[in-house]
Amino acid sequence: MIVEHAIDYIDYLMNYVDFTETYFLLTIACVVFNPTWWNITARMEYKTKFMTKICGSKENGCYLLAFLIFSLGILRDWLFSEALIRQPIFQEFDRFEVEVLSYILYGFGGILVLGAYLKLGITGTYLGDYFGILMKERVTGFPFNVMNNPMYNGSVMLFIAHALSYKSFAGLVLSFVVYVVYKFALIFEESFTNYIYSNAAATKKNKSKSK
């Protein structure tokens, strides 16, 4: 009986998601493309230094990548908003407590994203490690002392807040897609970042031995 009710409720929820709507599909495509592209591009830079060569320095190369990632992020956010406008209104979200929750998530998510950016700076935020611009030490202050990956988590909170403010269950579905994609992206980013720093430490150690 419980299983049947669960299935019926899922069917009910699916009535509030138009999986064929163009902007809904474009949002998913952009959400998947963005981290895939920047991870591939950053790894190519690490191995070939092609952006450093084009821009004349590793700093300028990182700034170019930052601009491109930021621009793709604006496109993704615009597509997300356009998708919500075209999705059915989920009446169960038309409640005061849901509105309050959206404001809380806007606030906390924004603090996490902004706080992480202020701690990391442009090069720390936008894959400067891949350009050889390494952090001198691990960042441990707020918001990194509250959770791992606060920028990604804060970003997901902002997507959820936006979905709730638009009373869109489809927006929650898209937010879940963002969460899953970010989790996969972190698997590749964290492992390669660890490789970069361990490789840099080994190189520094070898240089000190040779002196």
Side-chain angles (χ1 to χ4, degrees):
M1 189 67 123
I2 296 176
V3 174
E4 290 179 358
H5 281 304
I7 293 174
D8 288 341
Y9 191 65
I10 291 173
D11 287 339
Y12 162 72
L13 292 176
M14 290 304 99
N15 291 325
Y16 292 91
V17 184
D18 182 358
F19 290 98
T20 63
E21 199 279 314
T22 301
Y23 282 93
F24 183 88
L25 297 175
L26 286 174
T27 301
I28 292 177
C30 196
V31 166
V32 173
F33 172 80
N34 288 8
T36 303
W37 173 81
W38 77 54
N39 271 286
I40 292 174
T41 302
R43 290 196 182 202
M44 286 177 60
E45 163 61 24
Y46 180 76
K47 293 176 180 178
T48 67
K49 305 299 180 187
F50 79 101
M51 294 189 76
T52 295
K53 294 173 183 175
I54 293 172
C55 298
S57 71
K58 58 186 179 182
E59 288 80 11
N60 289 339
C62 185
Y63 295 151
L64 174 60
L65 182 63
F67 171 76
L68 294 173
I69 292 175
F70 185 77
S71 299
L72 285 171
I74 292 176
L75 173 62
R76 175 205 59 202
D77 294 347
W78 177 75
L79 289 171
F80 181 78
S81 295
E82 291 297 313
L84 299 193
I85 293 171
R86 291 164 173 78
Q87 291 289 327
I89 297 294
F90 189 49
Q91 295 300 332
E92 292 187 34
F93 285 167
D94 190 14
R95 297 176 354 198
F96 175 73
E97 53 268 35
V98 174
E99 184 179 2
V100 171
L101 178 58
S102 72
Y103 292 146
I104 292 172
L105 289 172
Y106 270 130
F108 192 52
I111 289 170
L112 289 176
V113 172
L114 180 60
Y117 176 78
L118 291 176
K119 281 291 181 181
L120 295 173
I122 295 178
T123 57
T125 300
Y126 294 103
L127 306 173
D129 322 78
Y130 293 72
F131 291 81
I133 308 171
L134 305 183
M135 304 288 288
K136 293 181 179 179
E137 57 185 8
R138 185 178 180 86
V139 178
T140 56
F142 181 84
F144 293 91
N145 58 354
V146 175
M147 65 176 67
N148 293 324
N149 308 306
M151 188 163 287
Y152 280 148
N153 291 330
S155 179
V156 172
M157 289 180 189
L158 292 175
F159 278 108
I160 294 173
H162 209 47
L164 294 178
S165 68
Y166 272 75
K167 305 176 182 61
S168 174
F169 181 75
L172 288 188
V173 173
L174 290 173
S175 300
F176 179 72
V177 173
V178 172
Y179 172 79
V180 171
V181 170
Y182 279 172
K183 284 298 181 183
F184 274 106
L186 281 169
I187 292 173
F188 295 99
E189 287 180 16
E190 289 181 337
S191 61
F192 202 77
T193 299
N194 290 335
Y195 166 76
I196 290 172
Y197 279 89
S198 61
N199 194 36
T203 301
K204 184 178 180 180
K205 185 177 181 180
N206 291 333
K207 285 182 178 179
S208 63
K209 283 183 179 181
S210 64
K211 289 182 180 180

